[in-house]
Amino acid sequence: MTDLSNSPIGKPLLRREDSRFLTGAGQYTDDVVLPGQTFGVFLRSPYAHARIKSIDTSKAAAAQGVVRIFTGQDLADAKVGGLPCGWLIHSKDGSPMKEPPHPVLAQGKVRHVGDQVALVVAETAFQARDACELIEVDYEVLTPVIDITSADGAGSAVHDEVPSNVCYDWGHGNKDAVDAAFAQAAKVTRLEFANNRLIPNAMEPRAANAQYTKHDGQYTLYVSNQNPHVERLLMSAFVLGLPESKVRVIAPDVGGGFGSKIFLYAEETALVWASKHVGRPIKWTADRSESFLTDAHGRDHHTVAEMAMDAQGHFLACRVKTIANMGAYLSTFASSVPTILYATLLAGQYKTPAVYAEVKAVFTNTAPVDAYRGAGRPEATYVVERLVETAARDMGLDPAEIRRRNFITEFPYATPVGLTYDIGDYNAHLDKAMKIADVAGYPARKAASAAQGKLRGIGYSCYIEACGLAPSNIAGALGARAGLFEAGEVRVHPTGTVTVFTGSHSHGQGHETTFAQVVAAKLGIPVENVDIVHGDTGRIPFGMGTYGSRSLSVGGTAIVKAVDKIIAKGKKIAAHLLEAADTDIEFENGEFKVAGTDRKVPFGSVALTAYVPHNYPLDKLEPGLNENAFYDPTNFTYPSGTYVCEVEVDPETGKTQVASFVAVDDFGNIVNPMIVSGQVHGGIAQGLGQAMLEGCVYDPESGQLMTGSYMDYAMPRADDLPNFVVDHTVTPCTHNPLGVKGCGEAGAIGSPPAFINALTDALGVRDIAMPATPERVWRAVHNLA
């Protein structure tokens, strides 16, 4: 393990990237203006489900400033492929999931409001937008499929190739063991609920700027994306049929992603293809209405969950049936979210002997649904923690006590749903959270609220998540169509400064600071002497990008392994300079030393010698000090934690105030506690947004998006949230050299059930749907349906 006592690990250093962001010096995709720039605007379907009978672009083509117009037929004639899905799931009967085509521009049918019908390229964005309005499309409107609970056999097929609308019907776990346990149970707790659909709403909308250069046949794409190498691979190899070496993808500063910018989208793909035909660069930036309509949405599950217990409240088995919405098309990782990333976490922190989950994924005439902050883990945690809290009430047990009776306490622990937790101490973070939240003083606070005519409730959530998606061979066996490793290159310059090239991508996580802290600590050099480069496939090694809280545990470990190679070579150079055997050289605090002596040489001198190899054993050592490494983890990492939420409800209005929120997380070792706290704060805000305010709604008859702007889609504001209290316990991960686990998604995973558990406690009801708006709360108070 790396010695983490060596500064600057564990220090709350200010984010070095914030200076450019706060002063307006950041460069986002929309800031990129290329010579000969043109602008693209997409004509989008006004219908959720319709056949395209004809498209007339003649008036639009003659409009002022229009350069070219492309339709789905143009791409079909050019044999452009459809967008691929990166994970193959098999149904319970062994049949592969249904993968209907996902065209870049609609061909024959439109399948959701906002589906791309045509691309107009013009001299200005306004001219392109005006020309779009001149395109005449003759649609035959069809009945849309919107409700996921009736999508199977709805009588209208989203895809003609899938008449049932079922993508797959998947099962995981030991069904026979679960059924046997339920037959012997003293008590069964049952809940039925929805995990509400969410729209990501990153601060920066999606954007792309594509250029083709004829002299070298090179395509360059600037795009707001979380994993540029994956974007390049999928687009070039699977859609456009181009040599990967002829495509360069650059993801500059990215203003948030939350998972929605992992995927390969139709818009940037169309721009890359069209840029060659236009002979000029084409830029497209989504407006906020387009983002609401076309960004991949999140969650959208309907679930029936049951917990079987003995007479003492020990969990015997858990049984879950979920219907998951895929939307109109399979997005890049959509199939894995409600399966591999969901059902494998249904054991939670508990030693439940048997778990079985069935997931039916269905197509609907809505925007595609894919990973959103947490990606399957929030949905699983919501199932488990709502069940556990309700089970405690059914059994007449304290909610903390029923958890303690069922916590896993010995590690490593193999769950009945396929994961092996390497380490953890769940009692430790429960104890700490309860102490910070002053649970002992809760009855007095409840009485004080009652005296003012208010209702008060307390709720717990003990979450666990699997991060770092690994290893590649196991993921491949489970259906992954890509590797899950990460890459890092460390380049030491002659003066001893360092540039790190990472396959991970930063879009708010602070990699330029934390990665520099890790490298500086390993090499014993100042943090300011380390630069981090990411986001450009023309400069960085092939990597898988950033998602699933994997950057430090996987990407950081790749960098550490490259640094270890630097140190190993540095020892050989130092041995030459110090006239000693390289086996006698030690490296500590930026100095190479001969063991047992005071003879030493600083890191900078070794770096200079590597590039000025006078009197250098060239027959034994190459010049230069530059190393790279790939890292494929042997297991997931398993962050966990306890969240305690208190709410106060005004029964006259239904307004719910989060009175306090305590989060105690175990992220393993922490490199920068300030950045970690910021990630937790942001995650809790998003999780409470889901629980209290946010909900994507489609009209069930027409399929129109009814929450298509901030007038109808409520985002949390500062005055909706309390001052969060965050703290940590530490059990270092056992299988990566940094001992880190991941922190970026935890807040969004643990907070929704904590809030709903507190609210149902306050109201004295069994369940309330998310988002728990004031109207819903008021109706629950007054027993109105």
Side-chain angles (χ1 to χ4, degrees):
M1 300 289 286
T2 299
D3 181 7
L4 294 177
S5 65
N6 190 13
S7 179
I9 294 290
K11 300 296 190 295
L13 302 187
L14 296 179
R15 296 199 332 167
R16 59 203 306 187
E17 48 268 74
D18 284 350
S19 175
R20 71 175 186 273
F21 295 147
L22 293 172
T23 59
Q27 185 170 49
Y28 299 87
T29 297
D30 190 57
D31 295 321
V32 177
V33 179
L34 301 172
Q37 186 73 66
T38 66
F39 297 84
V41 170
F42 289 89
L43 175 68
R44 298 188 180 279
S45 170
Y47 300 109
H49 197 194
R51 296 195 190 279
I52 300 173
K53 298 176 70 175
S54 66
I55 302 176
D56 184 352
T57 63
S58 57
K59 292 180 182 178
Q64 182 179 3
V66 171
V67 178
R68 286 285 298 271
I69 299 176
F70 302 96
T71 68
Q73 189 60 54
D74 295 314
L75 278 75
D77 291 345
K79 294 183 170 45
V80 172
L83 304 183
C85 180
W87 207 294
L88 176 63
I89 297 297
H90 287 82
S91 291
K92 290 178 291 187
D93 63 5
S95 62
M97 68 186 186
K98 304 297 189 297
E99 295 185 77
H102 185 176
V104 174
L105 294 177
Q107 298 174 18
K109 246 190 181 189
V110 288
R111 295 181 173 86
H112 66 93
V113 175
D115 210 350
Q116 300 81 223
V117 175
L119 167 62
V120 177
V121 182
E123 299 291 346
T124 72
F126 291 110
Q127 290 171 334
R129 190 176 299 276
D130 289 343
C132 264
E133 296 181 2
L134 299 175
I135 298 176
E136 298 178 358
V137 184
D138 185 8
Y139 292 102
E140 177 192 346
V141 180
L142 304 173
T143 302
V145 178
I146 305 299
D147 177 33
I148 62 173
T149 61
S150 59
D152 181 0
S156 179
V158 178
H159 297 273
D160 296 342
E161 307 91 326
V162 190
S164 69
N165 295 316
V166 176
C167 177
Y168 55 77
D169 188 359
W170 180 82
H172 187 64
N174 188 328
K175 184 179 186 301
D176 292 341
V178 167
D179 290 345
F182 270 83
Q184 300 174 5
K187 181 69 178 178
V188 172
T189 290
R190 182 184 186 277
L191 286 173
E192 181 173 358
F193 48 76
N195 201 297
N196 47 320
R197 187 179 182 120
L198 302 174
I199 300 175
N201 284 295
M203 187 176 294
E204 177 205 22
R206 287 191 294 121
N209 196 344
Q211 180 180 41
Y212 173 77
T213 48
K214 187 175 182 180
H215 69 275
D216 59 2
Q218 184 80 23
Y219 296 83
T220 302
L221 171 66
Y222 295 85
V223 63
S224 183
N225 183 268
Q226 297 176 216
N227 46 0
H229 267 295
V230 175
E231 172 103 354
R232 181 178 77 155
L233 173 63
L234 295 178
M235 182 186 297
S236 62
F238 294 96
V239 185
L240 300 181
L242 298 171
E244 194 176 356
S245 59
K246 289 297 184 181
V247 180
R248 181 182 183 185
V249 175
I250 301 171
D253 289 327
V254 174
F258 313 120
S260 69
K261 294 178 181 174
I262 298 172
F263 322 121
L264 177 64
Y265 283 95
E267 290 89 352
E268 60 254 30
T269 308
L271 262 59
V272 170
W273 178 81
S275 66
K276 180 178 180 179
H277 295 268
V278 170
R280 295 167 62 185
I282 311 171
K283 181 197 288 189
W284 165 79
T285 301
D287 60 32
R288 188 56 67 179
S289 294
E290 282 184 292
S291 296
F292 273 93
L293 286 170
T294 65
D295 287 2
H297 294 175
R299 317 290 191 248
D300 206 356
H301 287 189
H302 181 273
T303 294
V304 175
E306 299 173 287
M307 182 72 80
M309 295 167 284
D310 68 14
Q312 289 73 45
H314 296 114
F315 302 155
L316 302 178
C318 179
R319 183 162 57 199
V320 177
K321 291 186 177 181
T322 292
I323 302 172
N325 198 346
M326 296 289 99
Y329 303 103
L330 281 176
S331 181
T332 309
F333 295 110
S335 56
S336 67
V337 174
T339 51
I340 304 304
L341 301 180
Y342 167 67
T344 55
L345 271 299
L346 289 173
Q349 298 182 9
Y350 311 106
K351 51 190 177 187
T352 310
V355 178
Y356 180 70
E358 291 182 350
V359 178
K360 181 183 290 185
V362 296
F363 293 111
T364 62
N365 293 114
T366 63
V369 180
D370 208 319
Y372 175 69
R373 197 169 191 170
R377 284 75 56 85
E379 297 92 318
T381 296
Y382 193 79
V383 169
V384 173
E385 289 306 293
R386 286 291 293 119
L387 265 183
V388 170
E389 196 94 353
T390 307
R393 297 169 190 172
D394 287 351
M395 296 292 294
L397 292 172
D398 179 84
E401 174 57 28
I402 199 170
R403 288 174 167 88
R404 293 189 199 280
R405 290 187 187 184
N406 290 282
F407 273 158
I408 298 163
T409 56
E410 296 181 0
F411 298 88
Y413 179 84
T415 74
V417 278
L419 300 181
T420 298
Y421 303 163
D422 63 320
I423 196 168
D425 188 342
Y426 308 144
N427 278 298
H429 48 65
L430 176 59
D431 290 343
K432 195 168 191 177
M434 292 179 67
K435 182 177 180 180
I436 296 171
D438 185 23
V439 172
Y442 169 72
R445 295 191 295 276
K446 184 176 179 68
S449 294
Q452 298 177 13
K454 304 290 181 65
L455 306 173
R456 197 177 190 98
I458 189 169
Y460 297 77
S461 175
C462 295
Y463 78 90
I464 190 166
E465 57 170 324
C467 297
L469 286 181
S472 291
N473 58 347
I474 293 178
L478 295 173
R481 290 166 165 166
L484 296 171
F485 56 84
E486 197 46 82
E489 179 183 349
V490 177
R491 187 178 300 172
V492 181
H493 304 290
T495 58
T497 60
V498 175
T499 300
V500 176
F501 300 85
T502 175
S504 298
H505 186 276
S506 180
H507 44 280
Q509 294 87 349
H511 294 171
E512 293 174 40
T513 303
T514 51
F515 285 177
Q517 287 179 259
V518 169
V519 173
K522 286 281 291 182
L523 294 178
I525 60 177
V527 173
E528 52 268 24
N529 285 6
V530 183
D531 290 322
I532 308 297
V533 176
H534 61 91
D536 183 348
T537 63
R539 301 182 66 190
I540 62 173
F542 188 99
M544 301 308 295
T546 293
Y547 49 85
S549 302
R550 71 191 300 269
S551 293
L552 194 56
S553 63
V554 186
T557 297
I559 292 169
V560 166
K561 288 184 172 294
V563 171
D564 287 341
K565 294 180 181 180
I566 293 287
I567 293 171
K569 184 173 181 180
K571 287 181 177 180
K572 295 180 180 179
I573 298 171
H576 167 71
L577 293 174
L578 295 170
E579 298 181 338
D582 58 355
T583 54
D584 292 332
I585 301 297
E586 299 174 344
F587 182 70
E588 185 178 3
N589 297 325
E591 296 177 326
F592 294 91
K593 304 176 182 179
V594 179
T597 75
D598 59 358
R599 296 164 58 206
K600 59 188 178 183
V601 60
F603 177 77
S605 295
V606 168
L608 183 62
T609 301
Y611 290 98
V612 186
H614 299 165
N615 191 26
Y616 190 88
L618 293 172
D619 58 328
K620 297 179 181 179
L621 281 173
E622 294 179 351
L625 201 53
N626 181 40
E627 298 287 350
N628 60 62
F630 288 80
Y631 174 64
D632 199 329
T634 58
N635 193 2
F636 291 92
T637 63
Y638 298 99
S640 61
T642 296
Y643 291 178
V644 181
C645 177
E646 275 190 46
V647 301
E648 189 177 64
V649 178
D650 183 346
E652 296 299 318
T653 64
K655 181 174 175 58
T656 303
Q657 177 186 1
V658 181
S660 68
F661 198 100
V662 173
V664 178
D665 300 283
D666 179 0
F667 298 137
N669 291 325
I670 292 176
V671 172
N672 187 312
M674 183 196 71
I675 289 177
V676 167
S677 293
Q679 289 286 305
V680 174
H681 278 235
I684 295 171
Q686 279 185 284
L688 291 180
Q690 174 179 11
M692 300 169 65
L693 299 163
E694 296 182 52
C696 172
V697 179
Y698 284 89
D699 181 85
E701 300 298 325
S702 67
Q704 294 293 327
L705 180 63
M706 299 175 69
T707 52
S709 76
Y710 293 130
M711 294 294 290
D712 302 295
Y713 188 92
M715 298 282 286
R717 302 185 180 191
D719 60 357
D720 293 314
L721 307 170
N723 289 321
F724 308 130
V725 180
V726 300
D727 211 324
H728 307 95
T729 59
V730 177
T731 57
C733 177
T734 61
H735 54 79
N736 69 60
L738 291 166
V740 297
K741 296 181 179 180
C743 69
E745 298 164 297
I749 292 171
S751 54
F755 173 84
I756 295 296
N757 285 339
L759 182 57
T760 52
D761 180 52
L763 300 178
V765 299
R766 193 168 185 83
D767 191 32
I768 188 168
M770 296 191 294
T773 61
E775 180 187 0
R776 278 183 173 157
V777 173
W778 183 86
R779 287 181 174 276
V781 170
H782 297 281
N783 296 313
L784 298 174

